[in-house]
Amino acid sequence: MVKIDKLLINYKTLEAFKHFREYGHQELFMLEELQSNMIENNSESPFYGIYYGDSLVARMCLYKVDKKYDAYFDPPQDYMELWKVEVLPNYRGRGYGRALVNYAKSFQLPIKTNPRINSHQFWNKMGFQKAHYDMERDLGENPLIWLPEGVKEKTHDK
Amino acid sequence: MVKIDKLLINYKTLEAFKHFREYGHQELFMLEELQSNMIENNSESPFYGIYYGDSLVARMCLYKVDKKYDAYFDPPQDYMELWKVEVLPNYRGRGYGRALVNYAKSFQLPIKTNPRINSHQFWNKMGFQKAHYDMERDLGENPLIWLPEGVKEKTHDK
């Protein structure tokens, strides 16, 4: 059984994040906030991770989007936005990615993600499907969605 | 002087798109629309490209976002969303990427893009800057913006 930890923002976590490929504005912003005391050490974050011993070896971000911003599901409802799902190269093939995504599913809300190209086999195995592409909504994204029982994708034809 | 062409959607263009790394839902969607006659051959598209002889060797997508959806600029205004800026590997170093982005700037509207990691040097050279990260707006994105004279970034502190 793989343990998923909610990650708190501190220098140790932010240092560990540098090992991940999808290190970007979000991490830099957190670092600046911590350095300038705009957030406290050990503040809450949208990050969840898996530790192997003392090392962070997998992580994801998960954020609940309010139904008033929902453009993907029918009827409009709260859903989880999932991003930065990543397992460090030496720790792949152990089910860590699957464990993270299953954790995201455990909220029993629909999920939307915009994965990197070349990971579609993984998302397909996890039960995600392509959202019907809508250019004005999806500009530059490749959205995938996961529907819990009873939830439908929003359609544009109705 | 590099010539930028507005690309029309047809089977030849869609075949050429397969050589680009950022081939995704948008291209597949266009292919399906063409195959099912939902769009006509040679329909308008948001794609612009550069040909070398008969080969498409660079491309980008450019879409004007209405000011009512603007969350990046002050005051809210129409802006250009830019994505899929890509030059095929054998044609890099010839200024094609720069020519595409300069074309995008020629509309004299602010530009927002969400580039891949590792291309920041290019965007910096092109005068783009990091938008101040706002998690609820930018979930999983690394937004960069370009400001024409007189346009300011929207700030959250005011």
Side-chain angles (χ1 to χ4, degrees):
Chain A
M1 189 64 193
V2 180
K3 187 164 162 284
I4 311 289
D5 287 314
K6 189 155 174 49
L7 304 183
L8 299 175
I9 296 307
N10 53 50
Y11 287 106
K12 188 159 174 284
T13 303
L14 289 171
E15 193 59 35
F17 282 173
K18 291 184 185 163
H19 297 109
F20 291 81
R21 197 171 55 163
E22 289 196 58
Y23 186 91
H25 291 192
Q26 190 178 11
E27 290 84 349
L28 292 167
F29 172 72
M30 287 174 166
L31 185 60
E32 284 164 19
E33 279 199 314
L34 198 59
Q35 284 170 336
S36 62
N37 295 311
M38 286 176 68
I39 59 169
E40 279 178 53
N41 200 33
N42 294 321
S43 285
E44 290 271 319
S45 87
F47 282 96
Y48 295 81
I50 296 171
Y51 284 92
Y52 186 84
D54 205 31
S55 303
L56 183 70
V57 299
R59 67 167 194 177
M60 66 175 171
C61 266
L62 201 54
Y63 181 76
K64 193 203 264 193
V65 177
D66 191 275
K67 68 178 174 189
K68 74 179 168 215
Y69 300 113
D70 177 11
Y72 290 92
F73 305 104
D74 179 24
Q77 56 201 286
D78 292 353
Y79 69 92
M80 305 304 281
E81 178 90 27
L82 176 60
W83 72 103
K84 292 187 193 280
V85 179
E86 186 174 345
V87 180
L88 293 183
N90 292 342
Y91 297 88
R92 291 181 190 159
R94 304 180 186 205
Y96 291 170
R98 173 183 290 267
L100 288 170
V101 175
N102 280 336
Y103 185 86
K105 288 180 179 176
S106 70
F107 292 85
Q108 285 301 310
L109 292 173
I111 303 173
K112 185 222 141 190
T113 189
N114 175 37
R116 292 180 157 260
I117 288 163
N118 299 330
S119 59
H120 283 269
Q121 209 176 359
F122 169 75
W123 292 105
N124 193 37
K125 208 169 60 187
M126 295 306 296
F128 282 65
Q129 61 190 64
K130 276 169 61 181
H132 288 88
Y133 187 77
D134 173 347
M135 199 188 75
E136 300 188 18
R137 180 190 67 186
D138 299 325
L139 304 168
E141 293 207 355
N142 298 301
L144 296 180
I145 53 175
W146 176 76
L147 303 169
E149 211 167 302
V151 177
K152 284 185 299 189
E153 185 183 359
K154 182 183 170 187
T155 55
H156 306 281
D157 311 343
K158 280 179 186 171
Chain B
M1 190 65 194
V2 180
K3 187 166 161 281
I4 311 289
D5 286 314
K6 189 154 174 48
L7 304 183
L8 298 175
I9 296 307
N10 53 49
Y11 286 106
K12 185 158 177 284
T13 304
L14 290 170
E15 194 58 36
F17 282 173
K18 291 185 184 162
H19 297 110
F20 290 82
R21 197 171 54 164
E22 287 196 59
Y23 185 90
H25 290 194
Q26 189 179 9
E27 290 84 348
L28 292 167
F29 172 72
M30 286 174 167
L31 185 60
E32 285 164 18
E33 279 199 314
L34 197 59
Q35 285 169 336
S36 62
N37 296 311
M38 286 174 68
I39 58 169
E40 280 177 53
N41 198 35
N42 293 321
S43 285
E44 289 271 320
S45 86
F47 282 97
Y48 295 81
I50 296 170
Y51 284 92
Y52 186 85
D54 205 31
S55 302
L56 183 70
V57 299
R59 66 168 196 178
M60 69 174 169
C61 266
L62 201 54
Y63 181 76
K64 193 203 266 194
V65 178
D66 191 276
K67 68 178 174 189
K68 73 180 169 215
Y69 300 113
D70 177 12
Y72 290 91
F73 305 103
D74 179 24
Q77 57 200 284
D78 292 352
Y79 68 92
M80 305 304 281
E81 177 89 28
L82 177 59
W83 72 104
K84 293 189 193 276
V85 179
E86 186 175 345
V87 179
L88 293 184
N90 291 344
Y91 297 89
R92 290 181 191 158
R94 304 180 185 204
Y96 291 169
R98 173 182 290 267
L100 287 171
V101 175
N102 280 337
Y103 185 86
K105 288 180 179 176
S106 71
F107 292 85
Q108 285 301 309
L109 291 173
I111 302 173
K112 186 222 143 192
T113 188
N114 175 37
R116 292 178 159 263
I117 289 164
N118 299 329
S119 59
H120 283 268
Q121 208 177 358
F122 169 75
W123 293 105
N124 194 37
K125 208 170 60 186
M126 294 306 297
F128 282 65
Q129 61 189 65
K130 277 168 60 180
H132 288 87
Y133 187 78
D134 173 347
M135 199 190 74
E136 301 188 17
R137 180 190 66 184
D138 299 325
L139 304 167
E141 292 206 356
N142 297 301
L144 297 180
I145 53 174
W146 176 77
L147 302 169
E149 212 167 301
V151 177
K152 284 185 299 189
E153 186 184 358
K154 183 184 170 186
T155 56
H156 306 281
D157 311 341
K158 279 180 185 169

